Amino acid sequence: MSSPKEAHLFSRADYSPHWSPAYIDELYAPFFKHCGGAKLRGEATPIYMFLPDVAGELKRYNPALKLIVLLRDPAERAISNYYMQRAEGRERAPLWRALLAEPWRLWRCKEPRGKGSAYRRHSYRARGLYSLQLRNIYRHFPPRQVLVLSSRELLEDHASVLRRVFAFLGVEDVQMRPRIVLSGDRFGKQDHPLIKALLRASYVFERWRARGLYRL
């Protein structure tokens, strides 16, 4: 995997659809200096899924690319993202106000790729609309090149999920000890049961749209 794991190459503010695959390889090279003769290389930049034009650019770069999509409970994800932004000084509003302001912030954002754009910082609920994002991916990649997993599966059945990942990638199994890499607790996250319940209720239509696309 790249170092750091989020390369943000296709989400760069200066990204251009005129970049050739060879030039993209040059830009990727510093992220993989430690990989030697690795046969497969990958990175993990979550916003690639949210920016609608990235899937097409990934296809243009490498039509054989394989995508692993790891989803978590959207309400949990929204609250966790809020606390991360708040801890990093990018959000000052209380949670309820940030969620109410989100549609307006996204609507007025003219440069989604911009360094401090609302798409990067304040897309708390919108990023949980997974069905829209997955359908966009499937417009460019066949299902055999996309593996959709849930973070709950990974947490509760770590070994089985890893076997599926390795089979999907066509590589030998590697034994990896389960470990929680990131925890929302480090951002001072609170539970907010009422807001969480309202968020989950707001995803009712999303759950209908998501039938057959993913299961959390």
Side-chain angles (χ1 to χ4, degrees):
M1 296 296 289
S2 66
S3 180
K5 74 180 182 69
E6 295 187 21
H8 284 279
L9 199 154
F10 286 88
S11 58
R12 279 173 46 162
D14 63 344
Y15 179 84
S16 170
H18 300 296
W19 289 357
S20 68
Y23 181 59
I24 293 173
D25 279 340
E26 288 180 28
L27 295 177
Y28 260 137
F31 292 93
F32 295 103
K33 289 186 295 186
H34 60 291
C35 290
K39 294 181 180 180
L40 293 180
R41 300 180 183 189
E43 58 133 319
T45 305
I47 201 170
Y48 285 177
M49 184 168 165
F50 188 57
L51 295 175
D53 62 329
V54 169
E57 290 304 305
L58 291 173
K59 176 69 176 289
R60 185 179 65 84
Y61 167 60
N62 180 4
L65 204 69
K66 290 188 174 183
L67 305 177
I68 299 172
V69 180
L70 183 64
L71 306 177
R72 68 181 294 189
D73 176 280
E76 289 278 1
R77 198 219 66 80
I79 295 172
S80 180
N81 189 11
Y82 166 81
Y83 274 99
M84 182 181 75
Q85 298 300 329
R86 192 169 178 87
E88 295 180 359
R90 298 170 179 168
E91 178 62 84
R92 295 184 179 180
L95 175 59
W96 66 269
R97 189 181 297 167
L99 290 169
L100 288 176
E102 179 183 334
W104 179 77
R105 283 169 157 176
L106 295 180
W107 176 80
R108 69 188 292 268
C109 179
K110 305 305 180 187
E111 298 290 339
R113 293 174 178 273
K115 187 175 180 181
S117 79
Y119 273 72
R120 292 185 186 275
R121 296 184 176 181
H122 306 305
S123 50
Y124 308 120
R125 180 183 176 276
R127 289 210 203 188
L129 300 173
Y130 300 136
S131 65
L132 303 178
Q133 298 165 64
L134 284 170
R135 283 195 171 90
N136 182 52
I137 287 173
Y138 288 132
R139 276 195 285 271
H140 301 281
F141 291 92
R144 68 177 181 276
Q145 287 176 230
V146 182
L147 177 64
V148 181
L149 304 169
S150 80
S151 57
R152 184 166 58 95
E153 284 182 298
L154 183 61
L155 187 64
E156 295 176 356
D157 197 2
H158 178 263
S160 175
V161 169
L162 285 187
R163 283 196 297 271
R164 289 170 60 193
V165 169
F166 296 140
F168 173 70
L169 295 176
V171 298
E172 293 181 11
D173 284 5
V174 178
Q175 297 300 314
M176 300 176 68
R177 184 172 56 86
R179 181 166 64 97
I180 303 242
V181 178
L182 294 175
S183 171
D185 294 342
R186 66 195 178 111
F187 301 124
K189 177 185 169 187
Q190 299 174 36
D191 200 36
H192 297 282
L194 177 58
I195 293 179
K196 188 185 296 183
L198 291 171
L199 267 173
R200 285 180 172 149
S202 78
Y203 286 115
V204 168
F205 184 55
E206 164 62 15
R207 287 195 290 272
W208 178 82
R209 278 191 309 223
R211 289 179 301 176
L213 283 175
Y214 67 86
R215 179 174 53 84
L216 293 180

